[in-house]
Amino acid sequence: MALSSMTFAPLALLLLLLGSTSANLSPNFYASSCPKLFPTVKHVVQSAIAKEKRMGASLLRLLFHDCFVQGCDASLLLDDTSSFRGEKTAAPNNNSVRGFDVIDKIKAAVEEVCPGVVSCADIVVITSRDSVVILGGPYWEVTLGRRDSKTASFSLANNNIPPPTSSLSNLISKFAAVGLSKKDMVALSGAHTIGKARCINFRSRIYNETDINGSFAKKRQKKCPRTAGSGDNNLAPLDVQTQNYFDNDYYENLINEKGLLHSDQVLFNGGSTDSQVKTYTTSPGTFYRDFVTGMINMAAINPLTGSKGEIRKNCRKIN
Ligand code: HEM
Ligand SMILES: *[C@@H]1O[C@H](CO)[C@@H](O)[C@H](O)[C@H]1NC(C)=O
Ligand SMILES: *[C@@H]1O[C@H](CO)[C@@H](O)[C@H](O)[C@H]1NC(C)=O
Ligand SMILES: *[C@@H]1O[C@H](CO)[C@@H](O)[C@H](O)[C@H]1NC(C)=O
């Protein structure tokens, strides 16, 4: 009896501590400390998207690239300095992730109404939700209470964020490594219903792959020359139908072999995720529900809570 309680007490404590990280996140976290938080964020996101539609996509993507590296801790937002290498120039991010100026504007507006209270990590979470809603996608309640890291990881940014050349099994394992399921992966990939990609990331697909619609490949080849190095940064929409509208077209494109990235089309090419893709083409409600679940799960990856980390004053640098 005495022996078993001695054995199990530390285990119970450990379970309590592990459970407490996401249990500490709550929709009401800033209810009294920053009651104007939600309208303040939404206002800035709205005007940024009104100015440039693509920005909604860019802001949504920030959550993915932040949360896959050390968890959702705003590590992505830290600028490089002469003595600090952050994540912004890692391969998946360099010349690609954008929207940092909008995050700065949101942070400044939030600091105006409640200085020193709201983390940059939570701002990224709220901003991603607002972007989806503004572009016509589903609404969901976000949980808050994350704190900001004092570190970043260039190497984890390179290792954890899957490249567009990924096979289906690589995608599944990169998501599993951060605790997300295959189902989450397929639903979250539906984010590619908005935004753009650079030629360098789809060149080999449009010239060399066979599971691609011929007229679609030709259309994309017009602004993406075959020769490596030429037109690398030319942009094309990820969703051939409605690049500024958050809908389920992405999955219809896959069924028609019009996925732009290799990593898009592998979700529908005879493998274990075909049936989920098919379901989303006929049931947008199921896609929205699973996407929201995926976003909530992704936003819960390894948050800093309690007295860990800090509340940054400026999202680009540690205090
Ligand atoms: C499944 C693995 C994924 C891979 C391999 C992948 C890869 C990519 C690539 C290569 C681009 C184009 C970047 C460029 O050419 O500069 C891109 C864009 C984008 N990704 Fe993903 N992605 C994945 C999952 C996700 C997830 C989970 C989200 C968010 C929930 C997301 C949101 C976006 C958005 C919105 C864009 C367009 C951004 C813009 O226009 O600025 N992606 N992704
Ligand atoms: C990031 O991109 C810039 C501009 O293309 C390039 O000069 C630099 O070498 C890249 N950084 C890394 C770490 O690859
Ligand atoms: C297509 O594949 C061939 C053979 O693997 C390769 O040499 C070539 O560079 C590829 N072309 C493009 C545009 O990726
Ligand atoms: C490819 O896409 C075009 C344009 O949407 C369509 O007319 C054509 O039937 C498609 N080709 C095949 C083989 O499905």
Side-chain angles (χ1 to χ4, degrees), residues 85 89 94-95 154:
R85 185 182 227 185
T89 63
N94 201 21
N95 305 306
F154 179 83

Side-chain angles (χ1 to χ4, degrees), residues 2-279:
L3 182 68
S4 72
S5 63
M6 274 176 66
T7 313
F8 287 108
L11 180 66
L13 184 65
L14 180 71
L15 289 173
L16 203 72
L17 288 172
L18 284 172
S20 72
T21 49
S22 33
N24 281 346
L25 298 178
S26 138
N28 305 318
F29 191 82
Y30 300 109
S32 57
S33 59
C34 194
K36 290 184 179 156
L37 173 60
F38 291 119
T40 304
V41 173
K42 191 168 76 182
H43 183 256
V44 184
V45 177
Q46 207 130 33
S47 56
I49 294 176
K51 205 166 132 197
E52 188 205 9
K53 287 269 188 176
R54 183 189 175 195
M55 190 51 73
S58 305
L59 293 171
L60 170 57
R61 189 171 181 228
L62 291 180
L63 185 74
F64 171 44
H65 286 221
D66 182 32
C67 295
F68 268 56
V69 182
Q70 307 185 1
C72 311
D73 60 356
S75 55
L76 172 63
L77 305 182
L78 293 171
D79 277 343
D80 284 13
T81 70
S82 54
S83 58
F84 179 85
R85 185 182 227 185
E87 298 166 12
K88 288 182 176 177
T89 63
N93 296 331
N94 201 21
N95 305 306
S96 184
V97 281
R98 57 201 293 281
F100 298 116
D101 46 340
V102 176
I103 297 293
D104 290 342
K105 277 188 189 150
I106 297 168
K107 175 65 168 172
V110 169
E111 288 295 300
E112 193 78 18
V113 291
C114 25
V117 169
V118 180
S119 68
C120 298
D122 280 340
I123 285 175
V124 171
V125 172
I126 302 168
T127 299
S128 67
R129 188 273 310 275
D130 288 351
S131 297
V132 169
V133 172
I134 291 166
L135 294 177
Y139 173 87
W140 66 98
E141 191 171 66
V142 295
T143 59
L144 303 170
R146 297 164 195 78
R147 292 166 64 84
D148 300 322
S149 68
K150 297 180 186 175
T151 62
S153 178
F154 179 83
S155 61
L156 288 179
N158 277 325
N159 290 330
N160 293 10
I161 301 169
T165 50
S166 300
S167 64
L168 179 57
S169 63
N170 285 341
L171 293 176
I172 294 168
S173 65
K174 293 291 184 187
F175 276 65
V178 295
L180 298 179
S181 67
K182 178 165 79 175
K183 185 175 178 180
D184 288 331
M185 187 274 289
V186 174
L188 287 169
S189 295
H192 290 177
T193 178
I194 53 175
K196 296 178 193 289
R198 290 170 300 146
C199 167
I200 191 172
N201 283 320
F202 58 83
R203 177 179 284 124
S204 64
R205 169 151 174 76
I206 62 174
Y207 286 103
N208 267 350
E209 296 187 359
T210 51
D211 58 346
I212 188 167
N213 173 289
S215 62
F216 173 66
K218 280 216 169 61
K219 181 184 170 122
R220 289 290 166 261
Q221 286 168 6
K222 286 194 179 119
K223 287 180 183 165
C224 182
R226 182 190 291 270
T227 315
S230 76
D232 282 0
N233 294 324
N234 293 356
L235 295 169
L238 284 156
D239 173 0
V240 66
Q241 304 185 66
T242 53
Q243 61 177 305
N244 293 317
Y245 193 69
F246 196 99
D247 54 22
N248 65 339
D249 288 350
Y250 172 78
Y251 300 99
E252 195 190 323
N253 297 337
L254 298 185
I255 283 183
N256 293 323
E257 299 193 315
K258 293 178 183 175
L260 184 62
L261 306 176
H262 175 80
S263 54
D264 291 325
Q265 197 59 56
V266 296
L267 304 183
F268 188 84
N269 70 355
S272 64
T273 53
D274 281 19
S275 60
Q276 197 183 338
V277 168
K278 268 197 188 134
T279 299

